[in-house]
Every structure is written in structure tokens, then in C-alpha cells.
Amino acid sequence: VQLVESGGGLVQVGGSLRLSCVAYGNAFSINAWGWYRQAPGKQRELVAAIFRGGTTKYQDFVKGRFTISVDSAENTVYLQMNNLKPEDTAVYYCAADRFEIFTPGDYWGQGTQVTVSS
């Protein structure tokens, strides 16, 4: 499975971005998707995850601002990010897993940069 992300960029505080991640290959094997992020000098952290059946998990720092969703027919997971803050600046990574776990990590995308300017 290969994951390809898109949608990152530069946005002002309070703005919005939508990240997309398309799975190529044996995408039927994916049962969980996740978005992680890594800011400079920090460890990679989970942002949100979603199971094939729709169950979601959000980290407290994005609750009410970010929404994760999946289009199974298109093998695509999205991360809608609203009310962005400077501390959201990071490289965002898509991940997928064969198992329904809240920390998917079998497959990884290459990352997309999100920069929030004040």
C-alpha cells in the first residue's frame, strides 16, 4: 500500500486547510487511518484516527477544530482543519493499518507541510 498526501500549505491564523491522503495498492486491507504531525524539535504525535466503520478518535488539542473522514470508495482519508493556530504548524503524515487500532502505523505517507502564520 502506498499513501500519497496533498493539501498542505501556508495559511493565516484562524484559516482552514483540508488534507487528503489516497491509498494505492491493496487498500481493501486498510481498517484504520490516522493523521499524525511532527513539529520541529518535537516527536511525532497522533492528531486523529478513524476506523473503516466510522469510529473516530481526536487528540484534545484538535477537538472541535479538526475533522477526520474517509471515503472508502475512493480509498481516501481527509483531515479538515479549521481555526488553525500557529502551534498547528508541522509536517502532517497520513498513516494506515490493517487492524482497527487508534495508532495506525503499517503504512505511511511522505508528509505534507502545514504552516500557520500569525
Side-chain angles (χ1 to χ4, degrees):
V1 175
Q2 181 182 11
L3 304 179
V4 179
E5 300 127 332
S6 61
L10 175 65
V11 65
Q12 291 187 333
V13 169
S16 299
L17 284 175
R18 188 176 81 155
L19 305 182
S20 301
C21 173
V22 182
Y24 297 96
N26 293 330
F28 67 89
S29 67
I30 297 173
N31 286 294
W33 300 80
W35 286 97
Y36 293 77
R37 70 186 187 186
Q38 187 168 20
K42 295 188 177 181
Q43 291 188 331
R44 188 175 301 186
E45 60 183 358
L46 178 71
V47 174
I50 186 168
F51 292 166
R52 179 178 289 277
T55 301
T56 57
K57 173 184 173 68
Y58 295 93
Q59 296 293 70
D60 287 344
F61 52 78
V62 301
K63 282 182 180 177
R65 301 189 298 124
F66 291 11
T67 302
I68 188 170
S69 61
V70 63
D71 183 338
S72 296
E74 298 295 329
N75 297 323
T76 301
V77 65
Y78 301 97
L79 185 68
Q80 177 67 44
M81 305 185 294
N82 298 327
N83 191 21
L84 284 161
K85 305 176 180 180
E87 53 264 41
D88 294 318
T89 295
V91 177
Y92 284 71
Y93 297 90
C94 172
D97 208 285
R98 294 162 294 161
F99 302 100
E100 285 192 340
I101 58 174
F102 284 126
T103 54
D106 278 345
Y107 313 107
W108 291 88
Q110 79 285 357
T112 186
Q113 177 70 46
V114 171
T115 303
V116 184
S117 67
S118 55

